[in-house]
Amino acid sequence: MIRFFTKDQYKNTVLALWALLAIVQACFTELMDDEAYYWVYSRHLDWGYFDHPPMIALLIKAGYALFHNELGVRLGMVVLNVGTLVLTDKLISEKNNTVFYLILAGMGAMQLGGILAVPDIPLIFFAALYFYLYRNFLTAQNWKNTLLLGLGMALMFYSKYHGVLLVFFTVISNPHLLKLPRFWAAVLVTTALFFPHLYWQYTHDFPSVQYHLFERNAKAYHYSYTLDYLAGQLLLFGPLVGWLLLYYAFRVPVKDSFERAMKFSLIGVLAFFALSTIKGRVEANWTVMVFAPLLVLAHQGIVRQGYSVKVLKALWIPSLVLVAVVRVYMMWDFLPGVRIRPEIHHNREWTAVVKEQSAGRPVVFLNSYQQPSKYMFYQGEFAYSLNTIRSRRSQYNFWPMEEKLWGKEIWLASSDQNYFPEMEGRKTAQGTFFGKPVEDFHSYSLLQFIPAQKEFRRSPDGKYRFAVKNNYGREIPIVGKGPRLMHLISAEGMEPLVWETDMFLKDLVGKDSVDIHIPGSKMPGQYKIKLGFEVIGGLDPTHNSPYFKIVDF
């Protein structure tokens, strides 16, 4: 046993301590909002989801089958986080374990974020695995390495779409790959393995493409997007030594095609997302797939090129102390007045308050994928998210959950008082929660109207052709005429407005296509429009179509 922990300069000891701390933190830290959302993913396994590919759902499903708590949700992440360190160590050709430990001590995000059940963790692991398999492919282009490379790329894509950037910059670093039949064979393997997800996107009208490339863009550029991104990268790879690791990784000369691929990937990914700030805000964690290249290149710069290790030696203890403080805060809210990631505290309390308010009714939260997910995890009761047309969509717009609520009395809940004016709510550590009962609830998010074209020329009679997609797989029950069809109309420099149409649900179902009269489209100018049904009086309609444009002749 002693030999195991002292083997290779205590490397196994470091890995064991890393894993132990991760397990403790995973056990006693309440779920973040997105973790709870991805846990709901795992309750509805599929080849794809609105936001992400399915890898995160599979990992949560496996861990939660063993432990029905926060550890179960995160168990797969802990294993992959430790596996990332093992793989990254194997990528280093000229090793110095002391340097390796000093770099790890300074990378706080790997220590703190490595437990979180989010798609970034499998992406980091499978990115490291991809580079490991790519190096093997460069060494020997046999069928074994070809098939494994294809598998590795597919697993990376199933984790998060951003992984495609690593393959792209790898090819840029080594265009000779395009002349190799075995490389194309690996691409075919990846395509075949990833096809089920592509088919899911096709059958659901490519919602991830629509959301990530169009729906989440900002209206105009602001310099803060770029500054926030740059500051976020320094903290992500640090927090105290991120600037130094990036400098060393950028500066180190590469010695072969493999290191060139890592360097091209590191610089290319960081530059790509820096340019993406022109279109809107970029989250700092979108670049996490370059953790392995950064660590390897910075390490090689110190060991092979003799770059100074003084700063790392001076800051490794302060870095670990800072990480330890954050670890404790994640498990224990010892700063109740400080609102730093409050979502990881007091979830049992606020969900219990909403459960008490609902008095046994199923709960429908307004415009939040986070709150129903937390409610289901911590209270074990069914909940749903009703997303109105001005808010973002989520996977709740695709799950067949509404049918369980049709005709029932529900409790409509939110922590936003704008939906419940002049109403007193219940105060909790996570804000004040408001709500009211709604009898005979019906909503129809799975009924979608697909425009015959993304851009319509203005019609004199204001009518446009739409395909009707009934994703319920059965006849929709309609009370009377059903809800009225509405539309949200917006243009540059104009506050979005909700207008009525003269059509109701009864006029639209049971048909393959319909001509819908859209009164607001008769106004001159160019507009973006989206359709939706008025489900609850006084609230905006729901999402029942993608955006489409109306332009002048």
Side-chain angles (χ1 to χ4, degrees):
M1 181 65 69
I2 294 176
R3 289 182 179 179
F4 174 82
F5 286 109
T6 59
K7 184 181 178 181
D8 200 5
Q9 294 181 299
Y10 296 96
K11 189 168 294 181
N12 289 333
T13 301
V14 171
L15 293 175
L17 288 173
W18 186 287
L20 179 61
L21 288 171
I23 291 172
V24 172
Q25 188 178 342
C27 285
F28 296 104
T29 302
E30 293 183 22
L31 295 187
M32 293 177 60
D33 289 341
D34 284 355
E35 291 183 283
Y37 181 43
Y38 300 137
W39 171 78
V40 183
Y41 272 26
S42 74
R43 317 297 283 180
H44 302 269
L45 287 183
D46 207 339
W47 284 106
Y49 299 93
F50 173 72
D51 314 75
H52 296 292
M55 181 63 72
I56 185 65
L58 287 171
L59 291 169
I60 292 174
K61 185 78 171 182
Y64 197 74
L66 298 175
F67 305 104
H68 283 28
N69 51 28
E70 287 90 347
L71 176 61
V73 173
R74 295 167 170 151
L75 183 62
M77 314 309 131
V78 173
V79 173
L80 292 189
N81 184 240
V82 176
T84 299
L85 303 188
V86 174
L87 280 173
T88 304
D89 179 61
K90 292 181 180 297
L91 295 176
I92 299 172
S93 56
E94 300 176 40
K95 301 181 189 295
N96 183 310
N97 288 337
T98 300
V99 172
F100 185 66
Y101 303 151
L102 288 173
I103 293 175
L104 287 182
M107 300 182 83
M110 280 291 285
Q111 300 175 58
L112 296 168
I115 69 153
L116 300 179
V118 293
D120 301 298
I121 305 307
L123 176 63
I124 295 171
F125 173 80
F126 287 114
L129 178 64
Y130 161 73
F131 282 112
Y132 178 78
L133 296 173
Y134 175 64
R135 186 179 65 181
N136 292 346
F137 179 79
L138 291 177
T139 302
Q141 293 164 32
N142 53 42
W143 278 113
K144 175 186 175 183
N145 289 337
T146 299
L147 294 173
L148 288 174
L149 179 62
L151 173 62
M153 290 190 290
L155 292 171
M156 185 165 59
F157 298 165
Y158 269 117
S159 299
K160 205 171 183 180
Y161 302 117
H162 299 164
V164 72
L165 293 174
L166 298 183
V167 178
F168 174 77
F169 289 115
T170 296
V171 173
I172 296 298
S173 75
N174 186 7
H176 179 67
L177 289 171
L178 299 177
K179 299 179 180 179
L180 300 177
R182 295 283 174 90
F183 177 75
W184 287 108
V187 171
L188 288 175
V189 170
T190 300
T191 304
L193 294 174
F194 199 57
F195 178 78
H197 177 71
L198 297 176
Y199 184 72
W200 182 93
Q201 289 285 346
Y202 168 74
T203 57
H204 290 76
D205 301 307
F206 297 97
S208 301
V209 176
Q210 175 75 16
Y211 173 65
H212 288 293
L213 296 186
F214 302 107
E215 293 184 15
R216 69 185 305 165
N217 292 337
K219 294 180 179 179
Y221 171 74
H222 193 276
Y223 69 89
S224 64
Y225 299 158
T226 304
L227 294 180
D228 289 347
Y229 167 76
L230 296 175
Q233 296 312 295
L234 296 178
L235 291 174
L236 180 69
F237 299 117
L240 301 182
V241 298
W243 59 274
L244 182 66
L245 298 178
L246 287 166
Y247 172 68
Y248 284 172
F250 287 176
R251 179 183 170 189
V252 65
V254 297
K255 70 174 185 178
D256 53 30
S257 297
F258 173 65
E259 287 192 0
R260 187 182 304 112
M262 287 197 293
K263 193 162 191 176
F264 270 60
S265 295
L266 174 63
I267 296 175
V269 166
L270 294 175
F272 174 84
F273 285 113
L275 291 173
S276 297
T277 60
I278 295 173
K279 297 180 65 179
R281 192 171 300 280
V282 171
E283 301 294 337
N285 62 290
W286 290 358
T287 63
V288 293
M289 74 277 257
V290 297
F291 264 116
L294 173 70
L295 196 156
V296 172
L297 293 172
H299 181 282
Q300 297 298 62
I302 295 170
V303 174
R304 192 168 65 220
Q305 304 301 126
Y307 299 159
S308 175
V309 77
K310 290 182 179 179
V311 174
L312 293 177
K313 287 184 175 180
L315 293 178
W316 75 272
I317 292 180
S319 294
L320 289 181
V321 170
L322 180 59
V323 166
V325 172
V326 177
R327 281 191 193 275
V328 174
Y329 174 74
M330 291 176 71
M331 294 183 285
W332 169 40
D333 185 15
F334 63 85
L335 298 171
V338 178
R339 303 288 290 177
I340 302 175
R341 285 292 184 184
E343 65 198 83
I344 59 175
H345 300 296
H346 311 295
N347 289 294
R348 289 180 177 84
E349 293 91 324
W350 78 256
T351 55
V353 166
V354 174
K355 183 177 180 179
E356 181 183 343
Q357 287 178 314
S358 69
R361 305 176 185 92
V363 180
V364 174
F365 290 89
L366 278 170
N367 295 325
S368 173
Y369 65 86
Q370 302 97 331
Q371 290 174 350
S373 303
K374 287 281 187 71
Y375 185 82
M376 283 190 280
F377 184 84
Y378 284 105
Q379 296 302 323
E381 301 284 346
F382 179 82
Y384 178 66
S385 173
L386 183 67
N387 298 318
T388 57
I389 206 166
R390 296 179 198 265
S391 69
R392 62 154 284 183
R393 292 186 296 166
S394 72
Q395 185 60 34
Y396 284 94
N397 291 85
F398 296 86
W399 280 318
M401 302 173 75
E402 295 167 308
E403 297 168 83
K404 298 179 181 179
L405 301 171
W406 282 346
K408 294 183 178 180
E409 181 177 348
I410 60 97
W411 181 259
L412 190 67
S414 177
S415 57
D416 187 345
Q417 191 174 12
N418 290 322
Y419 299 121
F420 304 93
E422 301 179 1
M423 181 180 289
E424 290 188 10
R426 286 279 301 277
K427 292 184 178 180
T428 75
Q430 287 282 30
T432 303
F433 282 82
F434 306 87
K436 66 179 182 181
V438 175
E439 296 182 356
D440 195 21
F441 176 80
H442 289 85
S443 65
Y444 305 94
S445 295
L446 296 189
L447 183 64
Q448 290 290 306
F449 301 99
I450 310 303
Q453 52 204 71
K454 292 294 185 183
E455 184 174 291
F456 288 107
R457 293 290 181 180
R458 193 177 318 282
S459 167
D461 62 3
K463 289 185 176 181
Y464 305 90
R465 175 60 59 111
F466 293 82
V468 181
K469 292 191 68 175
N470 178 3
N471 294 311
Y472 292 102
R474 66 184 181 93
E475 186 176 341
I476 299 175
I478 302 174
V479 179
K481 291 183 178 181
R484 181 186 292 272
L485 185 68
M486 315 285 281
H487 64 282
L488 179 75
I489 183 167
S490 61
E492 187 173 350
M494 163 189 168
E495 185 69 24
L497 299 173
V498 173
W499 285 38
E500 293 183 348
T501 76
D502 56 3
M503 306 189 78
F504 293 83
L505 177 64
K506 191 174 183 62
D507 306 320
L508 301 166
V509 298
K511 302 175 182 178
D512 293 330
S513 62
V514 291
D515 292 322
I516 296 179
H517 179 232
I518 304 174
S521 69
K522 294 181 180 181
M523 297 190 302
Q526 178 172 305
Y527 296 94
K528 285 172 59 180
I529 295 180
K530 180 182 280 193
L531 303 176
F533 286 109
E534 183 183 31
V535 173
I536 298 175
L539 293 180
D540 283 334
T542 54
H543 295 266
N544 292 94
S545 84
Y547 273 115
F548 55 93
K549 290 183 179 180
I550 304 290
V551 298
D552 287 320
F553 288 104

